[in-house]
Amino acid sequence: MGNKLMAMKAAREQLDGRETDDIGNQDANSKHDENQNFPVQNTSDTKRETQTVQIGNRSASLFLSSASINLSKAKPKDTSNAKQSPSTTPAPISRQTTKTKREKSRLIPDEMIQIRPTREFTFTGYDIMADVASPECSDDDEDDDDNTRQIKSTYRNTCKMLGVTPASSFKNQVATPAITMRSHPTGPEGVRAMAIALVDNQVVTSLDLEDNGLFTDGAKYIAEMLHKNRTIIDLNIAENLIGTEGVRAIADVLHVNHKITSLDISGSGLVDTDALVLADILQNAPCLRELILSHNKFCGEGGMILGSAIATNDTLRILDLSWNHLRGKGAMAIVAALQKNIGLRKLDISWNGYGKDECFILSHALQENTTLKELDISNNRLNKEAIKHLLDGIQNGDGLETLRIRGNPVSPELALAIIKVIQESENCRIQQLDMGDIDVNEDFVSVVDDITMYRPFEVLYSNVLKHGGLQKREVEGIDYNVNMVDELFKYMHENNYRVIDLMKWLDKDGSMSVSREEFKQGMKTAQFPLTEFQLDKMVDELDMDGDGEVDFSELLAGERIFRRRMRRRLEREKANAKRRAEFKRTKVLLTIGEHS
């Protein structure tokens, strides 16, 4: 009996323990059901799986948690496919539920195909650098060769070390012969990273970093790079205000690097005392062919120093001193150096202070110098006396081929005197004359036509003033002395308008004739680019019978005159082109005969 009681007691305790285990399992399962609908992340019990996905050309890690995996039993095929909304209320605790859970746990291996993961894109444990391609395998470098890839990698790593943002424009050009980066906020540290990447670059031959805020330190970094790099031959660091120390650093590197042929340091804030450094460059850079010193502040003393250096230099071919403050003795020293210099082919001294006295020295220099081919003395103070001295040099010199004098106070009569000297001089070889904003008269145009009959000659000028045109300009104030009727039909031709179209548009009553005011108002409505005075002049020319009306027959007659003028102009241009070609052919034959 006692044994039976003890057995019954043990069985009851075993049963109670099993019930406790069932209840515990039920609680755990209930919590699992809740987590199935409300996943809790970052828990130690949650199992994590990762899957890499591709987003454009970037990759990211997709995290899968066990709390987001739905386990569902296979449903009969004849059941409905409608999904039931999951319940957020835990199921009642019972032995039947516990039994079901146990049975389900035993069925899991056979139903793994029913696992449907609900994918959650979560930043839990997300590495933000996974979205950034490493320098060694950047997508942009896939098509690059090993050398280019290494240069780009060096540049990126240097930018990272210096704490600057890499310039994509520079990076994309490191494998091209020319790097052009203008007006970028690079700064000294940014150009330092570029210089490090260019030390061993054997591809880039031209480096243009104009207006990048280099200042003195940036110029020093460029100079340090050029101590080792011997591939770059064209350097432009203009508009960077590199100052005295920056220019000195460039001058020092030119003592050892004899590959630089073109140097642009315009807009560097240089003053007269810096001319000593530039004189050093002219004396110790035998390979330098082009030097741009525009937009600095060289005055009298600086001009004298530079003039002495130019006189002894015979390797420089192009010198640009425009937009400085050269005048007086400084300006004279520059042009006086041309009497001894035998290397310069092009000299730009525009936008300075050259006047009568300076042109007197220039006149003698042009008579002595036979190697200078192009002179730009635009936008100075060339009055009548200065032009007279300049003409003496042109008339007796035989080297200059291009002369630019626009932007000077030259009258139409003075322009005519210049063109006549070019026509009559036996020694003058000028083939291009730039008088871009200077008005000329009809006699000037006639002389130009005569010159082009027997030799190549090009000239630029502004407006052609007819005889008496100056008085008419004073009456109205705006008159460019062009043929207004020609301008009208040229405008119609460019916009595909016919005469009948114009008349129908102007004629409101169908009379095929319009009054003076109707015609002018129609031109204004069409926004025809003429002034009031020019419109009156046009109507005067179209109204051939003087009755104050412009009819259809008069418009047709005006169009015929326009076409006749255009045809004659084309014929004249063709004839001039033919003569120039014949002259060039004859010149070539004569040259061949001399050599043979």
Side-chain angles (χ1 to χ4, degrees):
M1 187 68 174
N3 293 333
K4 289 184 177 180
L5 290 174
M6 291 178 65
M8 292 176 61
K9 184 177 180 180
R12 186 177 298 168
E13 289 175 356
Q14 185 178 2
L15 180 61
D16 292 339
R18 186 179 300 146
E19 289 177 350
T20 303
D21 293 338
D22 291 344
I23 293 173
N25 293 335
Q26 179 66 30
D27 292 339
N29 291 332
S30 298
K31 290 181 180 179
H32 177 76
D33 291 340
E34 292 179 12
N35 292 337
Q36 188 172 357
N37 297 289
F38 299 94
V40 179
Q41 299 176 5
N42 292 330
T43 61
S44 60
D45 297 334
T46 302
K47 296 181 180 179
R48 301 176 57 82
E49 298 179 8
T50 62
Q51 180 177 346
T52 302
V53 295
Q54 194 76 13
I55 303 175
N57 59 355
R58 300 297 178 90
S59 61
S61 296
L62 191 66
F63 289 91
L64 306 179
S65 62
S66 60
S68 65
I69 299 179
N70 296 327
L71 302 179
S72 60
K73 293 181 65 176
K75 296 182 180 181
K77 293 183 179 179
D78 55 3
T79 58
S80 173
N81 291 330
K83 296 182 180 179
Q84 296 181 357
S85 60
S87 174
T88 59
T89 305
I93 301 174
S94 65
R95 288 192 178 93
Q96 183 65 29
T97 304
T98 302
K99 184 178 179 181
T100 304
K101 293 293 183 181
R102 288 176 179 173
E103 293 176 353
K104 181 177 293 187
S105 64
R106 288 195 296 269
L107 292 174
I108 286 176
D110 299 330
E111 297 183 355
M112 287 301 293
I113 58 174
Q114 300 298 327
I115 296 177
R116 297 186 179 91
T118 303
R119 296 180 177 178
E120 301 165 358
F121 188 69
T122 171
F123 283 93
T124 304
Y126 178 73
D127 184 7
I128 191 65
M129 294 307 295
D131 249 0
V132 182
S134 63
E136 292 75 18
C137 57
S138 174
D139 292 339
D140 297 336
D141 301 345
E142 290 181 355
D143 298 331
D144 295 333
D145 55 29
D146 293 339
N147 184 48
T148 303
R149 194 178 297 112
Q150 180 62 36
I151 295 174
K152 290 184 178 181
S153 177
T154 301
Y155 176 59
R156 284 190 293 262
N157 292 336
T158 306
C159 288
K160 184 177 181 180
M161 179 185 67
L162 298 177
V164 297
T165 303
S168 59
S169 178
F170 175 82
K171 185 185 68 174
N172 294 335
Q173 299 181 75
V174 292
T176 62
I179 293 179
T180 302
M181 268 187 56
R182 296 189 175 187
S183 302
H184 280 67
T186 305
E189 291 301 305
V191 79
R192 183 182 182 185
M194 296 178 187
I196 293 174
L198 289 172
V199 168
D200 297 323
N201 189 303
Q202 301 298 314
V203 178
V204 177
T205 60
S206 175
L207 180 60
D208 186 345
L209 298 177
E210 181 175 327
D211 189 22
N212 280 265
L214 271 60
F215 304 110
T216 299
D217 290 340
K220 290 181 178 179
Y221 296 141
I222 293 294
E224 291 177 9
M225 178 267 296
L226 291 175
H227 272 283
K228 296 184 178 180
N229 185 296
R230 294 293 191 274
T231 308
I232 295 176
I233 61 175
D234 185 353
L235 177 63
N236 180 2
I237 51 174
E239 302 298 334
N240 281 293
L241 296 176
I242 62 176
T244 304
E245 295 301 320
V247 172
R248 185 172 285 114
I250 298 297
D252 290 341
V253 75
L254 292 181
H255 283 234
V256 295
N257 186 334
H258 294 159
K259 297 296 183 180
I260 303 295
T261 60
S262 177
L263 176 63
D264 188 346
I265 49 176
S266 59
S268 295
L270 305 181
V271 295
D272 282 344
T273 54
D274 298 322
L276 293 171
V277 181
L278 296 172
D280 179 67
I281 291 177
L282 290 173
Q283 294 171 0
N284 297 286
C287 292
L288 191 63
R289 296 292 180 265
E290 181 178 12
L291 180 60
I292 312 299
L293 301 173
S294 178
H295 288 83
N296 283 293
K297 300 177 181 179
F298 296 118
C299 300
E301 184 180 352
M304 294 176 67
I305 296 172
L306 290 174
S308 299
I310 294 169
T312 58
N313 181 289
D314 59 356
T315 58
L316 195 68
R317 296 292 180 263
I318 300 174
L319 177 61
D320 187 349
L321 286 166
S322 62
W323 291 91
N324 277 279
H325 305 293
L326 297 172
R327 61 193 64 191
K329 293 182 178 180
M332 292 179 186
I334 297 295
V335 294
L338 297 176
Q339 297 183 40
K340 297 182 178 180
N341 182 281
I342 59 174
L344 278 180
R345 300 294 184 267
K346 177 181 178 181
L347 176 63
D348 188 346
I349 50 176
S350 60
W351 295 95
N352 279 286
Y354 282 82
K356 176 184 66 174
D357 296 334
E358 293 80 6
C359 282
F360 178 77
I361 304 297
L362 176 61
S363 172
H364 290 282
L366 292 177
Q367 296 178 41
E368 297 291 334
N369 188 298
T370 60
T371 57
L372 186 69
K373 301 303 178 184
E374 181 174 343
L375 174 64
D376 191 342
I377 194 170
S378 304
N379 295 283
N380 279 275
R381 302 176 300 174
L382 304 188
N383 55 17
K384 185 175 181 179
E385 294 181 357
I387 291 294
K388 182 179 181 300
H389 293 314
L390 184 61
L391 291 178
D392 290 339
I394 293 174
Q395 189 172 11
N396 299 308
D398 62 351
L400 203 62
E401 296 178 354
T402 300
L403 177 63
R404 306 185 189 281
I405 58 173
R406 65 167 62 207
N408 287 291
V410 177
S411 65
E413 290 76 19
L414 204 53
L416 179 60
I418 295 173
I419 201 68
K420 282 186 176 180
V421 167
I422 295 175
Q423 179 190 32
E424 297 171 0
S425 174
E426 296 180 358
N427 298 324
C428 181
R429 295 186 179 182
I430 290 182
Q431 299 178 7
Q432 290 183 325
L433 178 62
D434 185 354
M435 305 172 62
D437 57 352
I438 297 175
D439 292 338
V440 299
N441 53 32
E442 292 178 311
D443 294 336
F444 180 95
V445 177
S446 178
V447 174
V448 171
D449 290 340
D450 292 340
I451 295 175
T452 56
M453 293 283 289
Y454 61 89
R455 69 183 181 92
F457 185 72
E458 297 179 1
V459 59
L460 297 177
Y461 51 85
S462 181
N463 306 302
V464 180
L465 307 181
K466 293 185 177 181
H467 295 294
L470 290 176
Q471 290 75 10
K472 292 183 179 180
R473 290 184 68 182
E474 294 175 357
V475 173
E476 176 60 23
I478 302 177
D479 179 14
Y480 301 105
N481 290 279
V482 295
N483 189 291
M484 304 307 162
V485 175
D486 286 355
E487 292 299 312
L488 170 64
F489 289 110
K490 188 184 300 182
Y491 178 83
M492 292 172 59
H493 176 72
E494 291 173 353
N495 293 275
N496 296 320
Y497 294 148
R498 300 174 300 173
V499 175
I500 187 64
D501 298 329
L502 176 63
M503 178 54 67
K504 287 183 177 180
W505 184 70
L506 294 173
D507 184 21
K508 304 302 181 182
D509 56 4
S511 62
M512 300 300 286
S513 178
V514 294
S515 66
R516 176 185 213 71
E517 293 302 321
E518 288 176 339
F519 189 91
K520 289 172 59 178
Q521 187 59 41
M523 293 295 101
K524 293 178 181 178
T525 303
Q527 297 182 348
F528 193 71
L530 291 177
T531 64
E532 186 77 15
F533 175 76
Q534 291 169 330
L535 287 174
D536 284 330
K537 191 173 180 180
M538 179 193 294
V539 176
D540 289 340
E541 188 168 348
L542 286 174
D543 185 14
M544 299 177 182
D545 57 6
D547 62 350
E549 298 275 337
V550 177
D551 56 35
F552 182 66
S553 61
E554 290 173 333
L555 283 178
L556 287 176
E559 186 189 36
R560 284 194 295 271
I561 296 174
F562 164 74
R563 291 183 181 277
R564 192 179 302 120
R565 288 173 180 167
M566 292 298 103
R567 185 170 59 254
R568 290 176 179 174
R569 181 179 300 178
L570 289 175
E571 291 174 353
R572 185 168 60 252
E573 290 177 355
K574 289 181 180 179
N576 291 336
K578 184 178 180 180
R579 293 188 190 97
R580 285 194 293 268
E582 292 176 353
F583 176 82
K584 186 179 296 185
R585 192 182 305 109
T586 303
K587 186 176 181 181
V588 172
L589 293 175
L590 291 175
T591 304
I592 295 174
E594 292 176 358
H595 288 292
S596 61

